[in-house]
Amino acid sequence: THDVTLWRARFAPGAAHARHTHDVGEAFFVVSGRGAAGTGDKEYEVAAGSGLYVPPGAVHWFRNPDETEPVEIIGVYAPAGSLQESGYRYVGEITDEYRQV
């Protein structure tokens, strides 16, 4: 088994990763652009240089509300050797009630 999964994602304008949970912690860093990161029932604006930690079991999501610029993020799941090992669970779409940015 492996202890950490490193990942990279690029969100085109308007792209999103729906509300979900993991059994393990997740940390990520915004490399470029501006995005919207949500946890629980709150959403926050994040920009290049922002780092976030999501504890195990917390409902969270990420989206790019910008209409022209992409957002790039890198992150880790730990301890987990893959997305599957992280215990990923889809919770639901990002409805208007969660879009606060």
Side-chain angles (χ1 to χ4, degrees), residues 11-97:
F11 289 78
H17 189 166
R19 296 169 54 240
H20 63 282
T21 65
H22 301 275
D23 294 336
V24 301
E26 177 179 12
F28 63 90
F29 180 78
V30 181
V31 176
S32 63
R34 300 181 84 76
T39 185
D41 61 356
K42 301 282 187 207
E43 186 174 72
Y44 307 91
E45 183 175 349
V46 293
S50 298
L52 297 100
Y53 172 73
V54 180
V59 175
H60 60 287
W61 65 92
F62 192 91
R63 66 188 187 88
N64 180 358
D66 194 281
E67 295 180 6
T68 59
E69 297 296 321
V71 177
E72 184 173 354
I73 60 177
I74 57 171
V76 297
Y77 305 123
S82 67
L83 175 62
Q84 293 75 23
E85 286 182 23
S86 78
Y88 174 89
R89 284 182 200 79
Y90 170 83
V91 172
E93 293 304 309
I94 306 166
T95 59
D96 287 343
E97 69 183 294

